[in-house]
Amino acid sequence: MSRNPVKYSQLLAESLRQRERPDGGDLPRPRLPLAITGVTGVAGYAALAYLQSRFPGQVFGVVQESDVDFPAPDLIRSSLRDYAEIERLLDERKVAAILDCAGNCALKACHLDPRLARELNVSIARNLALYARKRGIRLVHLSVDQVYAGRPRGGFREDEPPVPAAAYGETMIQGEQAVAEIDPYAVTLRISMPMGISFNGHAGAIDWIAGRFRPNRPATLYYDEVRTPTYVDEMARVFREFLANDYAGLLNCGGPRQVSLYQMAQIINRAGGFDGELLFGMLTEESCPVPPRVRNCSLDSSKLCEVLGRRPFTPWPGLAELIPDSREWHKRRRPDEPGSTPYMNRVLGCSPALYASREEYLQNLL
């Protein structure tokens, strides 16, 4: 599969170009030193780049021993499965806060190996919650929208009981419960689809779908699996706020626009300048996927806005011309329309609200 060539150094530089907030305001300083787990995932990778660019030498990324080519500085190498090792490594760095982005989001892997899913999605969360509670430090734990199987209009609120579709969602619920029981001072943020560039260049929605199209391979996505995607650079700023405040409990952390997986693929196909004939769609029931897929598990994140006192997320995609209006929209293109991997990386992986102007937004593409 063809990979996205963006380097970590480029993400650091781009982060420093961006404003802290769309209104030009400042954000609170997180508790430091800070450890971030799950940095090989899309959300964790973006958060690491954002926070390391702002607080160099005080933000540590936690990676496995096997991640020998991970490009960031200030790494802690641990599987996080051994509590004694967690104590030793985090104590050595006098960590004052943890952003926990760890977990296994591979649906099939979780379905085929529930034991491994519990280790990565439950045991690690339990270990980190125990450490945070024992040391009296801040824990921000990430969960997901797939704790819900979905319903026709989505819009799930925090007070609705989760009902998962598969083992992945089930173990994420168990991780939420472990954090709440062990560390009542922690906050759990349920994220939806993080839209950004991946560490390995082929994970996450943007890179995986583009990786199909780039070598002219087809991709089939679902019309009825609907999420609330979020720009990862805005997501990282929300994490920063919760690493600084004392809010405890559970909050939804999804974007304001519902987008189906098929529409996401349409947007990626057009922004990347790929062949529109490579994209196919279907209903979930037409494929009978194993493990089962969610349907519309979009989140209502109005409580998050109330807690922060602002709307932290730009609707994805942020440019009006990239919003599909039909199932054939991605095939209707102007001859002079932009379409390339660098353009796609910018408009789908970076929020336009964090730049002073559209002109600045579309300069120095990744």
Side-chain angles (χ1 to χ4, degrees), residues 61-80:
V62 182
V63 297
Q64 302 225 32
E65 292 287 348
S66 57
D67 295 321
V68 293
D69 58 345
F70 193 80
D74 299 317
L75 298 178
I76 298 172
R77 298 193 177 275
S78 171
S79 69
L80 299 175

Side-chain angles (χ1 to χ4, degrees), residues 143-151 154-166 168-170 172-173 176 190-191 225-227 250 252 292-300:
S143 185
V144 292
D145 53 0
Q146 292 190 66
V147 298
Y148 295 105
R151 61 189 178 199
F156 288 95
R157 303 184 308 275
E158 293 88 346
D159 58 0
E160 298 184 67
V163 180
Y168 171 53
E170 182 179 349
M172 294 305 288
I173 293 168
E176 291 181 0
R190 280 182 184 155
I191 68 172
E225 182 171 334
V226 179
R227 316 289 285 278
L250 175 67
N252 288 341
R293 303 284 306 196
V294 298
R295 302 304 201 270
N296 187 335
C297 62
S298 58
L299 299 176
D300 177 343

Side-chain angles (χ1 to χ4, degrees), residues 200-343:
N200 58 17
H202 64 76
I206 295 174
D207 286 344
W208 187 89
I209 295 171
R212 296 286 302 183
F213 293 144
R214 197 171 288 119
N216 292 314
R217 297 173 63 188
T220 302
L221 281 299
Y222 296 113
Y223 298 129
D224 54 343
E225 182 171 334
V226 179
R227 316 289 285 278
T228 33
T230 311
Y231 280 108
V232 288
D233 45 13
E234 293 182 330
M235 192 179 282
R237 286 156 171 79
V238 169
F239 299 160
R240 173 175 172 172
E241 292 192 69
F242 282 97
L243 288 163
N245 68 27
D246 295 315
Y247 187 89
L250 175 67
L251 285 171
N252 288 341
C253 193
R257 174 180 288 142
Q258 295 189 14
V259 184
S260 72
L261 292 194
Y262 179 78
Q263 289 171 323
M264 290 180 201
Q266 285 185 290
I267 295 163
I268 292 164
N269 180 276
R270 189 161 174 173
F274 304 116
D275 182 354
E277 299 298 332
L278 295 171
L279 175 59
F280 299 89
M282 65 166 49
L283 295 171
T284 309
E285 63 187 19
E286 294 174 331
S287 66
C288 298
V290 177
R293 303 284 306 196
V294 298
R295 302 304 201 270
N296 187 335
C297 62
S298 58
L299 299 176
D300 177 343
S301 299
S302 54
K303 187 176 178 181
L304 174 75
C305 300
E306 293 175 9
V307 170
L308 295 179
R310 65 186 183 92
R311 295 185 178 276
F313 298 131
T314 300
W316 186 95
L319 298 183
E321 62 265 32
L322 291 176
I323 301 172
D325 59 15
S326 73
R327 290 183 179 176
E328 299 296 311
W329 165 86
H330 59 289
K331 299 178 183 179
R332 304 195 309 265
R333 308 183 190 187
R334 304 185 314 273
D336 61 342
E337 182 173 305
S340 66
T341 293
Y343 177 75

